[in-house]
Structure formats: C-alpha cells, structure tokens
C-alpha cells in the first residue's frame, strides 16, 4: 500500500477577522509545489469568505468543529452541512479544547464524525493524552482508546485523518521527543489497522502540538507521521509556509 499523501492543516482557533484573509492569500500564494495537501481551518464565520479568497488555489478550507445533528434547535451551533455549504472540505473534530472545555466524549466525537460524513466533509479526528496520563504511563492506552471510541465504522472506505495532539504540548512550546511521537503514532496505526483492516494503513496520522518552522522537519519526517495540525504557527503566513516547506 502506498504511503498516504501528507496533510498539513492550520487551526486558527478563535483568532482572525476579515483582515486575516490576506494572511490566507499569502499562504496560498507561497505554497508552491509542496508534496502535502494544505488546509486552513479558520473560525466558522470566515469559512465562506476564505473559501472565496482561496478559490482556484491548492489550499483547502476546513471547519474546527461541527454539530452531530444536521439541523435543529441548537442555539449558537453550526452543522457540518453549513460548513460544507460555505465551502469547507474538511473539519477538525474532537480537538482537546472541545473535549476538555465542552466535555465532548468519544461518543459525541463519533456522532460528529458521522455528521461530517453525511455532509461529505473529510474529518480530522484529534486524540491525545494529558500530562497526568503520560506521567502515569497511560498515554498509549488513552490514545488508542480514543481512536477506538471516536472513529465510527462508517469511516470505512472514507478519506479521513487522525491527529495525535498531546494535550500538554498544545500552545505550550513543549513537544514530545521524536521517539515518543513515533511510539504513539505506531500505536495509533495498530489501532487503525485493527479497526479498518489494511485500509487503516492509508490514513494519515498528523502530529499536533507546538509545531514550528524550527522543529517541523524532524517531526514531519518521523516514522508514521503523515503531516501536522498547526495552531499558533498557522496564523502567520511565513511561519506556516516554513512548516509546509519543511516536508
Ligand atoms: P499549537 O496548537 O500548534 O498552537 O500548539 C495545535 C492545536 O491545538 O491544533
């Protein structure tokens, strides 16, 4: 089976206004012939305008979350179908900031994945252990448990990726060592193959958590790393392009 095409996705979180569309245009202009698929996941309210700004470029637009239902009385929420209608092609689901801040369980994440598939959005499903879990020697169990619980059988035959984001590495400047990243990515690969058979080998496993231009080459070339999910460093075109070019 050929290696999956890498994916490098920027997660803007709750950052950015109309003025930031110029940053997205600069990313699209600089992305060139890199071997990865590249995506930006802006705040939902920018999805439509960013899709228009990036039309005809290689850079895809994604959402950061979506509801598990297609429509209904859910004040303030946004459905996968709405994101797709606004031009999104992918959606991040189960980010640790959602799992912790909004108490999203594996079951909720799995329901959201199903909603994304109904809307033909490509899910990027996040998993990752806390520092306490790592210190207790439970990182592999936690992460593979999240993979099993958050990835529904409906993903069989679909295009999706998993992002390994150790919670303690997000926005902290801390990163696991390369052997630590590889150990978790191999465990995720094992869980994917258990669940989806040989097709599980074609799923890109992204690393996320304090990826910067300075550490991107080492991380992106590590065993079983199929790309990156980038937070802070995706907000500035120069930094994000530095990561994209590290591949
Ligand atoms: P960071 O965030 O790159 O700012 O650490 C990563 C993420 O939360 O996806």
């Amino acid at each position: 089976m050929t290696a999956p095409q890498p994916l490098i996705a920027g997660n803007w979180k709750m950052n950015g206004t109309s003025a930031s569309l110029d940053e997205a245009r600069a990313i699209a202009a600089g992305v060139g012939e890199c071997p990865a698929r590249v995506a930006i996941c802006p705040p939902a309210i920018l999805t439509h305008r960013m899709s228009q700004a990036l039309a005809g470029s290689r850079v895809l637009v994604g959402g950061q979350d979506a509801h598990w239902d297609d429509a209904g009385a859910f004040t303030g929420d946004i459905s996968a179908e709405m994101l797709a209608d606004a031009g999104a092609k992918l959606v991040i689901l189960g980010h640790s900031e959602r799992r912790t801040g909004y108490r999203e369980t594996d079951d909720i994440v799995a329901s959201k994945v199903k909603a994304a598939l109904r809307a033909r959005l490509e899910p990027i499903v996040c998993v990752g252990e806390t520092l306490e879990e790592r210190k207790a020697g439970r990182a592999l169990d936690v992460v593979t448990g999240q993979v099993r619980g958050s990835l529904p059988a409906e993903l069989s035959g679909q295009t999706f990726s998993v992002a390994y984001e150790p919670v303690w590495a997000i926005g902290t400047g801390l990163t696991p060592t390369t052997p630590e990243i590889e150990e978790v990515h191999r465990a995720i690969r094992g869980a994917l193959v258990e669940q989806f058979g040989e097709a599980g080998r074609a799923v890109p496993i992204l690393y996320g958590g304090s990826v910067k231009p300075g550490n991107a080459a080492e991380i992106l070339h590590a065993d079983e790393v199929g790309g990156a999910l980038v937070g802070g460093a995706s907000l500035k075109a120069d930094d994000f392009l530095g990561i994209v070019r590290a591949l």
Side-chain angles (χ1 to χ4, degrees):
M1 182 157 307
T2 50
Q5 187 181 8
L7 171 65
I8 299 182
N11 173 10
W12 280 15
K13 308 191 179 184
M14 199 172 73
N15 297 291
T17 58
S18 318
S20 321
L21 293 173
D22 283 341
E23 216 64 45
R25 286 189 194 94
I27 290 169
V31 96
E33 294 297 310
C34 79
R37 301 164 71 217
V38 178
I40 305 173
C41 303
I45 199 149
L46 288 180
T47 309
H48 188 239
R49 272 177 297 169
M50 190 176 288
S51 301
Q52 290 181 321
L54 300 184
S57 86
R58 288 195 45 211
V59 180
L60 302 166
V61 176
Q64 299 177 9
D65 179 42
H67 200 272
W68 59 80
D69 237 323
D70 300 334
F74 299 104
T75 301
D77 276 320
I78 289 175
S79 73
E81 189 185 310
M82 291 168 188
L83 286 170
D85 183 52
K89 302 291 181 214
L90 310 96
V91 62
I92 299 168
L93 295 169
H95 190 282
S96 66
E97 286 152 20
R98 305 284 324 171
R99 289 180 185 265
T100 319
Y102 299 84
R103 299 177 196 217
E104 289 190 7
T105 60
D106 287 342
D107 281 347
I108 291 175
V109 177
S111 301
K112 291 183 166 199
V113 171
K114 291 183 208 172
L117 294 177
R118 288 195 296 276
R120 301 192 187 287
L121 288 182
E122 177 183 325
I124 302 172
V125 183
C126 303
V127 297
E129 83 286 359
T130 63
L131 192 56
E132 292 67 38
E133 289 164 340
R134 173 158 287 270
K135 282 187 177 155
R138 296 182 48 231
L140 297 185
D141 280 352
V142 167
V143 168
T144 53
Q146 287 175 336
V147 169
R148 285 187 200 100
S150 309
L151 300 183
E154 282 83 346
L155 282 169
S156 242
Q158 305 290 332
T159 303
F160 67 99
S161 54
V162 172
Y164 168 54
E165 298 204 303
V167 178
W168 51 274
I170 295 176
T172 58
L174 302 171
T175 47
T177 63
T178 301
E180 284 169 340
I181 293 174
E182 291 177 332
E183 182 185 34
V184 180
H185 280 229
R186 283 191 201 112
I188 293 173
R189 178 68 68 210
L192 287 169
V193 171
E194 231 171 70
Q195 240 173 305
F196 300 102
E198 283 304 299
R201 296 198 193 283
V203 177
I205 306 172
L206 320 185
Y207 169 79
S210 297
V211 179
K212 309 255 179 299
N215 61 16
E218 179 164 351
I219 291 172
L220 288 170
H221 291 106
D223 191 34
E224 291 288 13
V225 173
L229 184 54
V230 184
S234 69
L235 292 167
K236 289 269 162 265
D238 283 350
D239 288 344
F240 193 52
L241 289 170
I243 293 168
V244 168
R245 290 184 188 131
L247 195 67

